[in-house]
Amino acid sequence: MKPGLQLRLHQQLTLTPQLQQAIRLLQLSRLELETELRELAESNPLLELDGEGVDESELETADGAATEVAAPAANTTDNVEFGETRGDGAGQDDRGADERRDERGDDRGTDAWDGEEFGATSYGNGASHDDDDGFEAQDAAPVSLHEHLLHQVNLLNLSPRDRAIALALIDAVDEDGYLREGLASVQAALREPTVGLDEIEAVRHRLQQLDPSGVASLDLRECLSAQLRGLAPDTEHLHLAQAMIAEHLEALAKRDFARIARSLQAPPEAVAEAAALIRTLDPHPGAVLGAAPVEYVAPDAYVLREQGRWRVRLAAGNQPKLGLNRHYCGLIARARREDAAYLKGQLQEARWLIKSLQARADTLLRVAEAIVRQQSAFLDFGPEAMRPLVLREIAEEVGMHESTISRVTTRKYLHTPRGTFEFKYFFSSGVSTDDGGAASATAVQALIRKLVGDENPRRPLSDQALATELNQRGIQVARRTVAKYREALRIPSSSERQRAG
């Protein structure tokens, strides 16, 4: 077999470092973007995060040729109406909010609003406050349930043996405050064969008296009983409540007060008052301390109605402003060969980063506009008017790939008059209707929530009844689909709703 040469043609997509950076910036959330830009600004001396550096139009390169690429305004908030050409007000971001409102006039309508009026603040712009004393306000770190119990155990006069048992019990307590695995697992964790279950039980009863009351219980019955023991002895209907928990917990869950009254030979009024006392107890004593901290989101874009049309604007401070460091830019012409090459390389990276930020803002705005166009009925009439929407439809409308739309809509939030939602909230599958169309899954869920809210509490609607009602309204949905949507909405079943009613 003789060696030979063959020519083959093939196409290959290569992602340049600049394109990879643009894709990465596109998928970052607002806070992640700020963190990323701060790290890039620390590693590149040509970058300034406050946006007060020299504009590229003023910069001259080492050979004396002036650059013609202007640094974009990263947090532009000019209004863009669908079908209009952007750019008329791109360079007017630094004007005051009052001046912009005066120029827009008073014909905006009573339902129009400005992003700045709703707390849309700029990130990383160095804004100062009158009461700023140089210290940042910081919340105390949340205390976990285990830390809270450990602090109380340290205040008890326990022997070293009992303290070791208490620490093993605390480690075994779950986030709700229960010992789900039982005492045998605690005994095995101690690795001390001489420790008996009676010793562990004695220490556990001491833990139940700590705050929160009822912690380290084995089940709900014991947890509620421990909390009742912590009440004052003269509490009204205390003994009746203890008997109800010990003997009739299942009937209490079904609100079968008549049966409990007959069994305990107690007046129905007293049983109802004892049940009210039991409802003041906490079935999950550890959940309050183990709760995750509340997280707040800052909208990336705002939707407002002007002159009868929905408009979209990027939030003020949607992304930090970037500029070029004036001092280092001036050193490029006077630097030596190696230093000049380094500074020119950093300058090129800074320009690419600024362009990527501008592309990110433009893409975010275009996608938000397309979503608002598609879901204008939701803004007008609510979730019940949400139409089915998939990423492909938005991708075709804006001329981008579906993967790009997926990155843009992840962890980006849109503030609307009906609340703040993640971009992905507006995308959902469709359910067939009698007229051959489709109803959004979000709209079906909203209808289910409305039907459950309007039902008779004594005769709640079952999943089959909900499916029948939706079918009568022209929405073809099966009972199992209704059950899936109901569980997604965290609505209890009809039997559980009847007990609660």
Side-chain angles (χ1 to χ4, degrees):
M1 190 172 181
K2 297 181 179 180
L5 297 177
Q6 294 182 351
L7 295 178
R8 295 181 180 179
L9 297 178
H10 68 279
Q11 293 181 341
Q12 181 179 359
L13 178 63
T14 302
L15 294 180
T16 63
Q18 293 80 9
L19 183 56
Q20 294 178 6
Q21 183 185 67
I23 294 175
R24 171 173 171 76
L25 296 179
L26 189 61
Q27 65 187 8
L28 295 179
S29 66
R30 183 168 176 174
L31 296 181
E32 292 173 341
L33 176 65
E34 181 180 355
T35 302
E36 179 77 10
L37 294 183
R38 289 189 182 278
E39 294 178 356
L40 293 175
E42 291 177 358
S43 61
N44 190 338
L46 269 295
L47 279 175
E48 283 193 353
L49 193 58
D50 57 7
E52 297 179 356
V54 60
D55 191 273
E56 286 193 46
S57 60
E58 304 174 4
L59 177 66
E60 293 187 359
T61 57
D63 57 0
T67 59
E68 299 182 4
V69 180
N75 69 333
T76 177
T77 57
D78 52 305
N79 290 342
V80 179
E81 186 173 355
F82 303 134
E84 295 181 348
T85 302
R86 301 173 58 247
D88 295 339
Q92 303 175 5
D93 296 327
D94 295 333
R95 297 181 300 175
D98 295 335
E99 181 181 353
R100 293 197 299 270
R101 284 193 291 269
D102 293 341
E103 291 183 5
R104 283 196 294 263
D106 297 330
D107 58 346
R108 296 173 54 188
T110 57
D111 57 348
W113 41 264
D114 198 354
E116 292 85 347
E117 299 173 5
F118 285 78
T121 57
S122 176
Y123 284 83
N125 57 1
S128 60
H129 302 277
D130 296 337
D131 57 349
D132 188 6
D133 55 359
F135 295 94
E136 295 183 0
Q138 296 181 354
D139 295 333
V143 179
S144 66
L145 175 62
H146 291 182
E147 293 173 343
H148 185 64
L149 293 175
L150 181 60
H151 174 71
Q152 297 177 78
V153 167
N154 291 333
L155 300 178
L156 299 178
N157 187 18
L158 298 177
S159 64
R161 186 183 183 90
D162 288 346
R163 175 179 168 79
I165 296 175
L167 295 181
L169 287 169
I170 292 176
D171 289 339
V173 169
D174 63 8
E175 59 184 8
D176 289 331
Y178 287 91
L179 285 171
R180 307 286 186 185
E181 300 180 358
L183 300 183
S185 62
V186 177
Q187 186 182 33
L190 287 171
R191 297 180 181 179
E192 183 63 40
T194 60
V195 177
L197 293 179
D198 54 344
E199 293 183 81
I200 299 176
E201 183 71 10
V203 177
R204 186 176 72 86
H205 284 306
R206 297 198 65 176
L207 290 182
Q208 286 183 303
Q209 302 172 8
L210 301 179
D211 179 61
S213 179
V215 74
S217 297
L218 298 176
D219 52 32
L220 177 61
R221 190 188 308 274
E222 186 183 29
C223 177
L224 298 179
S225 299
Q227 295 182 47
L228 287 178
R229 289 195 300 268
L231 299 179
D234 57 349
T235 302
E236 191 175 4
H237 305 296
L238 176 60
H239 297 291
L240 181 57
Q242 290 174 337
M244 291 169 60
I245 291 176
E247 305 174 16
H248 301 283
L249 188 61
E250 291 77 10
L252 181 63
K254 298 179 181 179
R255 301 178 62 85
D256 193 353
F257 297 156
R259 175 184 172 185
I260 297 175
R262 290 193 303 268
S263 178
L264 298 178
Q265 298 181 356
E269 297 80 6
V271 172
E273 293 179 4
L277 174 63
I278 295 175
R279 282 196 295 270
T280 62
L281 307 178
D282 189 358
H284 305 286
V288 176
L289 290 172
V294 179
E295 297 182 0
Y296 299 91
V297 297
D300 296 272
Y302 286 79
V303 179
L304 63 156
R305 195 176 186 87
E306 289 187 357
Q307 300 179 358
R309 302 186 66 177
W310 292 109
R311 289 190 172 185
V312 180
R313 66 161 25 179
L314 294 182
N318 173 264
Q319 54 194 27
K321 292 182 178 180
L322 281 181
L324 299 175
N325 186 284
R326 186 182 300 273
H327 173 70
Y328 283 100
C329 290
L331 293 179
I332 296 180
R334 302 191 301 270
R336 295 183 179 180
R337 183 174 304 174
E338 296 181 356
D339 295 338
Y342 169 76
L343 292 176
K344 288 181 179 180
Q346 296 296 315
L347 176 61
Q348 185 65 23
E349 291 184 6
R351 288 172 175 167
W352 273 109
L353 179 60
I354 293 175
K355 290 180 181 179
S356 299
L357 285 178
Q358 181 62 61
R360 180 184 185 275
D362 293 341
T363 304
L364 190 65
L365 182 61
R366 292 174 59 191
V367 172
E369 290 174 346
I371 291 175
V372 170
R373 278 195 295 269
Q374 296 287 344
Q375 301 292 3
S376 59
F378 163 80
L379 300 173
D380 292 328
F381 306 107
E384 298 176 16
M386 185 83 76
R387 65 176 296 271
L389 185 65
V390 294
L391 296 175
R392 184 184 66 257
E393 297 181 49
I394 299 298
E396 293 175 353
E397 183 173 348
V398 300
M400 298 179 182
H401 195 270
E402 290 184 40
S403 62
T404 303
I405 304 301
S406 178
R407 293 185 179 95
V408 174
T409 55
T410 302
R411 292 174 298 175
K412 312 295 189 305
Y413 296 88
L414 183 65
H415 181 92
T416 72
R418 298 188 178 275
T420 301
F421 306 94
E422 188 180 11
F423 279 22
K424 285 191 178 298
Y425 171 80
F426 299 95
F427 297 87
S428 62
S429 58
V431 178
S432 301
T433 59
D434 291 342
D435 58 1
S440 169
T442 305
V444 176
Q445 292 180 4
L447 285 174
I448 293 175
R449 185 187 296 275
K450 182 179 180 180
L451 292 174
V452 171
D454 296 339
E455 69 183 4
N456 185 353
R458 296 184 178 181
R459 300 183 61 184
L461 298 173
S462 63
D463 293 340
Q464 183 59 50
L466 291 172
T468 302
E469 180 65 26
L470 291 174
N471 292 335
Q472 292 176 356
R473 300 191 179 198
I475 300 176
Q476 301 175 6
V477 60
R479 184 200 60 80
R480 60 181 179 274
T481 304
V482 172
K484 181 182 68 174
Y485 288 164
R486 176 182 55 77
E487 293 173 357
L489 294 171
R490 297 184 178 179
I491 298 177
S493 62
S494 57
S495 58
E496 293 176 346
R497 298 201 302 273
Q498 187 176 20
R499 295 173 190 172

